[in-house]
């Protein structure tokens, strides 16, 4: 596959993440009873924030959201969908995990792919994929005066983005950009959904102390074997012949 179709595929994946996260931001704005300006602000920040942070860090020119009209138009489209379509609590509970997981998978793949295209190594590519996936949600939570959900207390999220970015970094030299991008998007989505379904979480920190650390070490069990009593062999007195 020549580079142009690969770039087009990555662009479609990137725009899919923009649309999903813009809808998520708009639905949250509805729950907060924001006006249309609040809808637009929160949805655009949610949909374009992670990509803009990525593009600024990559220093490959102005962010795509400012040079490619499709990004802003897709974010606005997501805002309109969230504003015009009322979402019930039940529908939100059913659709949110899938929209969120799809956005994370798409953005992890797109961010890592763009970092590799910019000439960065595999570790910065993983970091860029993760930042792209979680950046918009972090900005949205900060604006809403909430502790970003990615900081803990939730099921695996950033971990899923890291895993998806690693899949792209490993597969791209082996299977090509399109296959790697699709595989990374699917892995990120499935990992996020499984973490929600099975309640996978990272371990929480605990108050460390030397006493606690020593108590966690395995202790050997020593068994002292005493000598048999005088006048007794293998059998007790009752076993002796009369």
């Amino acid at each position: 596959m020549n580079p142009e179709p690969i770039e087009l595929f990555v662009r479609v994946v990137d725009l899919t993440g923009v649309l999903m996260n813009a809808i998520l931001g708009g639905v949250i704005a509805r729950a907060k009873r924001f006006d249309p300006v609040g809808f637009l602000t929160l949805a655009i920040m949610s949909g374009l924030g992670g990509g803009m942070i990525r593009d600024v860090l990559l220093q490959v020119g102005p962010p795509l959201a400012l040079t490619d009209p499709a990004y802003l138009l897709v974010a606005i489209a997501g805002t309109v969908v969230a504003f015009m379509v009322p979402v019930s609590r039940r529908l939100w509970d059913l659709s949110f995990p899938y929209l969120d997981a799809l956005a994370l998978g798409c953005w992890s793949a797109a961010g890592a792919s763009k970092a590799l295209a910019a000439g960065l190594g595999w570790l910065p590519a993983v970091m860029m994929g993760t930042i792209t996936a979680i950046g918009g949600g972090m900005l949205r939570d900060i604006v809403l005066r909430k502790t970003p959900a990615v900081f803990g207390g939730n099921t695996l999220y950033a971990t899923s983005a890291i895993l998806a970015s690693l899949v792209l970094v490993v597969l791209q030299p082996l299977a090509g950009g399109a296959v790697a991008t699709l595989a990374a998007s699917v892995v990120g989505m499935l990992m996020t959904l499984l973490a929600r379904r099975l309640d996978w979480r990272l371990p929480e920190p605990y108050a460390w102390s030397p006493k606690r650390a020593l108590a966690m070490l395995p202790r050997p069990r020593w068994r002292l074997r005493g000598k048999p009593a005088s006048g007794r062999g293998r059998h007790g007195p009752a076993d002796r012949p009369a």
Side-chain angles (χ1 to χ4, degrees):
M1 183 178 290
N2 55 41
E4 289 185 2
I6 294 176
E7 293 175 2
L8 177 62
F9 185 78
V10 172
R11 184 169 182 265
V12 170
V13 170
D14 202 16
L15 288 172
T16 302
V18 171
L19 179 63
M20 296 300 103
N21 243 22
I23 292 175
L24 292 177
V27 172
I28 294 174
R30 175 183 289 277
K32 296 291 185 179
R33 299 182 180 276
F34 288 177
D35 61 14
V37 174
F39 261 83
L40 191 62
T41 302
L42 196 65
I44 289 178
M45 183 178 299
S46 179
L48 300 178
M52 293 184 72
I53 295 174
R54 173 200 66 207
D55 293 340
V56 169
L57 291 176
L58 290 178
Q59 296 185 357
V60 290
L64 282 175
L66 303 180
T67 59
D68 190 341
Y71 282 81
L72 188 56
L73 291 175
V74 168
I76 293 174
T79 307
V80 171
V81 170
F83 187 81
M84 299 297 294
V85 180
V87 180
S88 65
R89 179 69 180 180
R90 178 176 176 79
L91 180 60
W92 170 251
D93 290 340
L94 291 175
S95 61
F96 171 77
Y98 296 95
L99 294 176
D100 194 34
L102 180 60
L104 180 135
C106 290
W107 268 351
S108 300
S113 178
K114 289 180 179 293
L116 291 178
L120 298 182
W122 71 271
L123 190 56
V126 172
M127 184 177 71
M128 287 296 102
T130 306
I131 289 175
T132 306
I134 68 176
M138 288 183 61
L139 291 177
R140 181 183 65 221
D141 290 342
I142 291 172
V143 168
L144 295 175
R145 301 175 67 180
K146 295 168 51 181
T147 301
V150 72
F151 286 168
N154 300 278
T155 55
L156 300 183
Y157 197 75
T159 306
S160 302
I162 292 172
L163 180 60
S165 302
L166 283 171
V167 169
L168 185 130
V169 169
V170 171
L171 288 184
Q172 182 159 305
L174 302 175
V179 174
T181 302
L182 181 60
S185 301
V186 172
V187 167
M189 180 178 179
L190 291 179
M191 184 70 177
T192 305
L193 291 175
L194 283 174
R196 288 182 182 274
R197 176 65 61 87
L198 303 177
D199 198 31
W200 289 345
R201 301 169 184 265
L202 293 178
E204 296 181 358
Y206 60 91
W208 186 89
S209 67
K211 184 177 180 180
R212 183 188 294 268
L214 290 174
M216 295 177 63
L217 295 176
R219 296 181 178 180
R221 296 182 179 179
W222 303 100
R223 179 179 298 176
L224 297 177
R225 302 181 63 181
K227 297 181 179 180
S230 177
R232 294 185 180 182
R234 288 185 64 181
H235 304 286
D239 295 331
R240 293 178 181 174

